[in-house]
Amino acid sequence: MAERRIGVAMDFSPSSKKALRWAAENLVRKGDTLVLLHVRHHGRVESKNVLWSHTGSPLIPLEELMEAQVRQRYDMPEDAEVYDTLNALAREKELCVVVKMYWGDPREKVCDAVGELNLESLVMGSRGLGQIQRILLGSVTNYVLSNASCPVTVVKSK
């Protein structure tokens, strides 16, 4: 069976952590590559990431991400729960786990990543906004559902 690339959109919110757990329990299987997609908004220490502002970072292997200086270099949040989950998944299901960072509009960058990385499937959380909030604020989930070139699974926060 060929290797699959499964993406999980991760903003380190409770709903994206739930999406990661859902993907681990229901989707990924031995030999898959799990790609964690993380998008930072423009503005934070922009100059240090200018090289990757359009294409995103290189793929960061999980082993490298475990080093504090690497997380700091890419401005990744310190979240032991997520990193412990990724380590356990990599070990138990024999996955290749990588992280891809982007800077900009999460709606566009997640859709770009799907095509660029040839993801077979994408899993993402939903913040559970009401209909009015979605209309006023816009919804990353709705945009990705409408524009991604692969199947998208939305894991509800509640």
Side-chain angles (χ1 to χ4, degrees):
M1 201 174 294
E3 170 192 294
R4 301 179 312 157
R5 284 185 167 212
I6 308 297
V8 175
M10 175 58 64
D11 64 3
F12 295 87
S13 67
S15 63
S16 67
K17 291 176 188 180
K18 188 173 180 182
L20 175 60
R21 288 190 301 274
W22 187 93
E25 295 166 6
N26 298 287
L27 188 59
V28 295
R29 60 183 181 227
K30 182 179 177 178
D32 285 347
T33 296
L34 179 67
V35 182
L36 207 69
L37 302 173
H38 182 61
V39 182
R40 299 292 273 181
H41 290 283
H42 284 297
R44 294 194 64 190
V45 194
E46 200 74 24
S47 61
K48 87 174 177 183
N49 300 313
V50 72
L51 178 64
W52 306 306
S53 63
H54 296 290
T55 61
S57 72
L59 291 174
I60 308 163
L62 180 60
E63 299 79 27
E64 286 183 30
L65 195 63
M66 293 299 97
E67 299 173 21
Q69 66 269 26
V70 172
R71 289 192 305 273
Q72 193 172 40
R73 177 179 177 202
Y74 290 103
D75 200 21
M76 289 288 290
E78 292 294 327
D79 193 316
E81 178 186 1
V82 170
Y83 302 128
D84 289 347
T85 300
L86 292 172
N87 272 314
L89 266 174
R91 231 182 12 263
E92 293 166 11
K93 296 210 177 189
E94 300 177 31
L95 303 178
C96 174
V97 178
V98 294
V99 174
K100 179 79 171 179
M101 294 277 305
Y102 290 92
W103 291 267
D105 182 344
R107 295 173 296 187
E108 294 173 6
K109 294 299 182 179
V110 169
C111 289
D112 290 348
V114 166
E116 173 191 326
L117 300 171
N118 297 316
L119 297 180
E120 186 169 312
S121 183
L122 176 69
V123 181
M124 61 190 306
S126 172
R127 293 185 298 166
L129 296 177
Q131 190 171 13
I132 301 294
Q133 287 175 310
R134 275 195 310 274
I135 292 168
L136 294 175
L137 300 174
S139 166
V140 173
T141 304
N142 284 351
Y143 184 90
V144 172
L145 279 169
S146 298
N147 295 286
S149 59
C150 74
V152 178
T153 301
V154 178
V155 179
K156 291 185 177 184
S157 61
K158 297 177 184 177

